[in-house]
Amino acid sequence: MAGQSPKRPLSLIERAADIYDFSPTQRSGAAPEPDLDLGVASAPLPTAYMPPVQSWSGISHPIDREKLAHLGIILPEGDATGTSEELRIVKRRVLAAAFDGPDGVPMNRGNMVLVNSAHPGEGKTWCAINLAMSLAAEQDMDVLLVDADFGKPQVCERLGLPEGTGLMDALADPHVPIEQAVLRTDIPSLSVLPAGRHVRNDTEFVASERTAQVLDRLNASSGRRIIIFDSPPVLAASPAAELARHVGQTVLVVRADRTTEAALRDAVSLLSACPVIRLLLNGVKFSSSGRQFGSYYGKAGT
């Protein structure tokens, strides 16, 4: 029709939203957020909650803060930045789905979150660590970051923590107490579970009945614990699809201008055992809405 401007082509995330219907809010016609497609309303937290004190039996280690700063990873006690503000939005949506039961208790393993990507190099480990750090800033949260990328573990190396006994050791050997493998850190609310030994049949171990037993043990002692799993890319290694069976949420990292629609379709299909799959768009350098998170706190009198 004359006088009308041509419609712009749909972005990858908009097309994916139409295909997979990740959340009901995406059918409202509102403009999509450029960084995240998490259409979950905030859930109220209990007002009289006193978090239990959880003592892992593993050794406590300091986090290498200089290394994290170099890698662009936030810290719970750090200043407000664009990254930290974006992660606050991400974690609110994750928390709303994690503790959606009566009185804010976890239901359907919603407090167990898989962070994944279709291919390597799309930023899933960076996003997993940053999400864990943002969650650790909460006043009533117990965060456990699990390196479940058994073939190429990177979490401990990036945090400056020692590798050692970890998740795969407990899956492969019933005599390994999983509690002793957890590393406490000098961030009081953050603990880390290394990937553990390298085995050739990691998928078969993850697919075994023991996996549910081990994860239930990790999740048993605290009503306000959230567990973040950094898993291998789902189109590169098969354990990710098996891990999806044990979690209540998956955050699928999509790299801007790199992840293809075909890869996204395939990844979602392989992760379909997880009841909730959400998209996190990583690597965006432009915001059509003019977002400038992090700059507000540096301006006095505004």
Side-chain angles (χ1 to χ4, degrees):
M1 185 174 179
Q4 290 184 338
S5 58
K7 294 184 177 180
R8 63 175 179 83
L10 294 177
S11 68
L12 169 65
I13 299 303
E14 290 172 306
R15 293 198 305 273
D18 288 337
I19 294 167
Y20 299 113
D21 191 21
F22 287 104
S23 69
T25 59
Q26 292 166 346
R27 296 189 178 276
S28 65
E33 294 181 359
D35 67 317
L36 181 66
D37 195 6
L38 297 178
V40 181
S42 298
L45 297 177
T47 57
Y49 174 74
M50 290 297 292
V53 177
Q54 172 61 44
S55 297
W56 297 106
S57 56
I59 301 173
S60 180
H61 298 272
I63 296 290
D64 189 340
R65 285 163 167 76
E66 291 186 4
K67 188 170 190 176
L68 294 187
H70 178 72
L71 295 172
I73 295 174
I74 66 173
L75 287 168
E77 69 273 17
D79 295 333
T81 64
T83 299
S84 67
E85 289 295 283
E86 294 284 0
L87 263 296
R88 281 174 170 165
I89 294 176
V90 174
K91 74 173 175 181
R92 286 290 155 229
R93 312 291 175 83
V94 171
L95 285 172
F99 302 101
D100 60 352
D103 298 322
V105 299
M107 288 190 66
N108 302 318
R109 293 180 178 262
N111 63 322
M112 305 179 78
V113 184
L114 186 72
V115 180
N116 194 265
S117 63
H119 295 293
E122 293 176 332
K124 52 96 180 169
T125 298
W126 186 87
C127 289
I129 296 175
N130 267 312
L131 178 58
M133 288 291 181
S134 185
L135 288 164
E138 295 293 303
Q139 300 300 304
D140 60 352
M141 197 62 55
D142 178 10
V143 183
L144 177 61
L145 175 59
V146 179
D147 193 341
D149 192 340
F150 306 111
K152 294 184 178 180
Q154 298 182 52
V155 170
C156 287
E157 188 273 333
R158 294 193 184 188
L159 295 176
L161 299 175
E163 297 282 358
T165 302
L167 177 57
M168 184 51 68
D169 296 278
L171 297 182
D173 184 353
H175 299 291
V176 174
I178 190 65
E179 298 89 346
Q180 295 181 11
V182 175
L183 303 175
R184 293 181 293 120
T185 75
D186 58 354
I187 298 174
S189 53
L190 176 67
S191 301
V192 177
L193 178 62
R197 73 176 74 171
H198 178 74
V199 297
R200 294 183 179 179
N201 52 341
D202 51 3
T203 301
E204 286 69 27
F205 279 118
V206 175
S208 69
E209 292 183 1
R210 179 158 172 78
T211 299
Q213 299 170 0
V214 170
L215 298 186
D216 284 344
R217 182 62 180 164
L218 290 174
N219 199 31
S221 300
S222 174
R224 294 294 291 174
R225 175 171 296 151
I226 188 163
I227 305 177
I228 306 297
F229 296 87
D230 176 35
S231 80
V234 67
L235 299 188
S238 54
E242 289 299 323
L243 284 168
R245 297 171 47 238
H246 296 281
V247 300
Q249 300 185 64
T250 291
V251 175
L252 182 58
V253 177
V254 178
R255 185 75 182 185
D257 302 323
R258 181 182 301 179
T259 307
T260 66
E261 183 175 341
L264 187 60
R265 286 173 175 268
D266 201 4
V268 170
S269 176
L270 289 172
L271 296 169
S272 60
C274 177
V276 179
I277 301 175
R278 311 180 188 282
L279 301 182
L280 173 59
L281 184 58
N282 186 32
V284 176
K285 297 181 179 179
F286 172 75
S287 170
S288 59
S289 64
R291 284 190 180 185
Q292 295 180 340
F293 284 138
S295 61
Y296 177 80
Y297 295 97
K299 296 180 180 180
T302 60

